[in-house]
Amino acid sequence: MQNYSFSGKFIDKLKSARKIVFFTGAGISAESGIPTFRGTNGIWNKMKPEELASFSAFIKNPKLVWDWYQYRRDIVHKTQPNPGHFAIAELENYFNQVTVVTQNVDNLHRRAGSKTVYELHGNIEKNYCIDCRKRYDFINFQDSPSSPKCECGGLIRPDIVWFGEMLPDDQYSASEKTAADCDILFSIGTSAVVFPAAYIPLIAKNNRKYVVEINLEHTDLSYKADEFISGKSGDVLPQLLQLVKELKNQNVQN
Ligand code: BV8
Ligand code: ZN
């Protein structure tokens, strides 16, 4: 594993920071074995988003869309949070406020122990009836010839934000607020192309907050970020945690 060296300016920011935001995307879960969306091996390279991740696709063929989410749910159930998720959760012990704003639907931040998690695109473990809105969260649906139905007869859909749908207002407005009010925002493992989620790091930047990007490759955000750290989040984040521990130790000794 590569040893990352962090810039002096970044270390100074870390020393005085009290409020941290982690804005995450599919890349942080890649090392858990969950495929990303874009890029060579990405989901959208093999399938068309509008044929699977839209309300019209669901109404046209509920079983196809339901089975696709069931397939992804099965992958999520077989995976575990990785050192990147765990490092973020542990960093809560070293700052006054740590908030995770995630585009991921895989629930891995919560499983790793992060306490404040805003889910901008929903959660694959949750479902609801499109007619009466009754909730069907954390239920293992049995496979059947049709997609599951509510007791009212309505179709049950995954609680995922599909293309063309509004993001959950409470999660998005809380994310905007925390991004505008943080000391450092980390943008991790996201191509930062899906809006309005991709406004979150830009809101931090526009409010003159320190923005650090961790990714394998450059994105549209890179030239606006204060730091770009090239690497796997599962390698970089545990080293960041180690650095923070050392800085806090030095503080105690001085
Ligand atoms: C809406 C389905 C309003 C769920 C998803 C403004 C400008 C342009 C377009 C728009 C705009 N505003 C709205 C739009 C339209 C659209 C949009 O943004 N389109 C883009 C793509 C052009 N947005 C919407 O439709 C949104 N709704 O705007 O509503 C409205 C509504 C009604 C009427 C009027 C207005 C809704 C967006 C919902 C998105 N849902 N998918 C599912 O099945 O999961 S998006 C999909 O992309 C995922 O959900 C994911 O959360 C999201 C973001 O992707 P990333 O997480 O960034 O993943 P990606 O694969 O792209 O990148 C991975 C990155 O990780 C890479 O950079 C890679 O290098 C890196 N990486 C890989 N491994 C590692 C790593 N980095 C570090 N370590 C590693 N190990
Ligand atoms: Zn119902």
Side-chain angles (χ1 to χ4, degrees):
M1 193 202 303
Q2 192 184 335
N3 273 332
Y4 295 94
S5 58
F6 300 101
S7 77
K9 191 173 176 201
F10 175 43
I11 291 173
D12 285 345
K13 287 280 170 191
L14 272 177
K15 281 182 188 163
S16 60
R18 297 164 64 83
K19 298 179 191 172
I20 309 282
V21 175
F22 292 99
F23 174 66
T24 64
I28 195 164
S29 297
E31 290 158 79
S32 292
I34 299 178
T36 60
F37 292 90
R38 296 163 190 85
T40 333
N41 293 315
I43 291 177
W44 300 146
N45 236 1
K46 295 170 209 119
M47 322 203 183
K48 289 189 181 153
E50 61 277 17
E51 283 171 14
L52 289 166
S54 73
F55 187 70
S56 56
F58 181 63
I59 293 302
K60 199 168 132 200
N61 195 341
K63 173 77 174 148
L64 175 85
V65 174
W66 181 266
D67 284 352
W68 186 59
Y69 281 96
Q70 192 59 38
Y71 165 76
R72 286 175 54 197
R73 209 174 275 137
D74 288 345
I75 295 178
V76 165
H77 289 166
K78 285 185 198 127
T79 58
Q80 301 297 329
N82 66 56
H85 297 104
F86 285 119
I88 290 178
E90 202 179 332
L91 280 160
E92 282 184 14
N93 300 329
Y94 299 95
F95 295 96
N96 285 34
Q97 188 184 297
V98 171
T99 309
V100 176
V101 176
T102 190
Q103 299 164 87
N104 299 346
V105 300
D106 56 30
N107 208 34
L108 289 183
H109 284 297
R110 285 226 173 78
R111 281 172 59 192
S114 285
K115 288 190 200 76
T116 309
V117 183
Y118 299 134
E119 292 173 325
L120 296 179
H121 292 162
N123 186 317
I124 201 159
E125 305 283 9
K126 298 183 179 176
N127 307 278
Y128 65 92
C129 167
I130 65 169
D131 288 342
C132 73
R133 305 263 146 181
K134 182 176 157 63
R135 300 213 58 95
Y136 292 86
D137 296 345
F138 295 93
I139 290 177
N140 276 323
F141 290 92
Q142 298 304 316
D143 191 26
S144 86
S146 59
S147 74
K149 295 253 176 64
C150 175
E151 58 199 25
C152 81
L155 291 166
I156 298 174
R157 63 166 280 180
D159 190 356
I160 303 270
V161 180
W162 284 326
F163 286 100
E165 293 187 323
M166 307 287 276
L167 274 58
D169 200 33
D170 57 337
Q171 305 292 295
Y172 188 72
S173 40
S175 304
E176 280 184 310
K177 203 160 161 264
T178 199
D181 186 41
C182 67
D183 298 308
I184 306 178
L185 180 143
F186 292 89
S187 180
I188 305 171
T190 174
S191 57
V193 292
V194 174
F195 285 87
Y199 286 128
I200 298 300
L202 300 178
I203 289 170
K205 197 62 236 160
N206 291 344
N207 283 276
R208 297 184 301 282
K209 309 305 179 189
Y210 205 71
V211 173
V212 179
E213 186 178 37
I214 302 172
N215 203 310
L216 297 176
E217 54 191 36
H218 286 95
T219 69
D220 289 355
L221 179 70
S222 306
Y223 78 99
K224 293 182 188 128
D226 297 282
E227 302 266 341
F228 176 81
I229 301 173
S230 168
K232 287 185 178 179
S233 47
D235 292 341
V236 178
L237 288 166
Q239 291 185 40
L240 173 70
L241 172 65
Q242 191 52 40
L243 169 67
V244 168
K245 283 181 179 174
E246 283 161 19
L247 295 175
K248 299 286 167 180
N249 252 339
Q250 282 169 17
N251 250 356
V252 173
Q253 280 162 14
N254 293 335

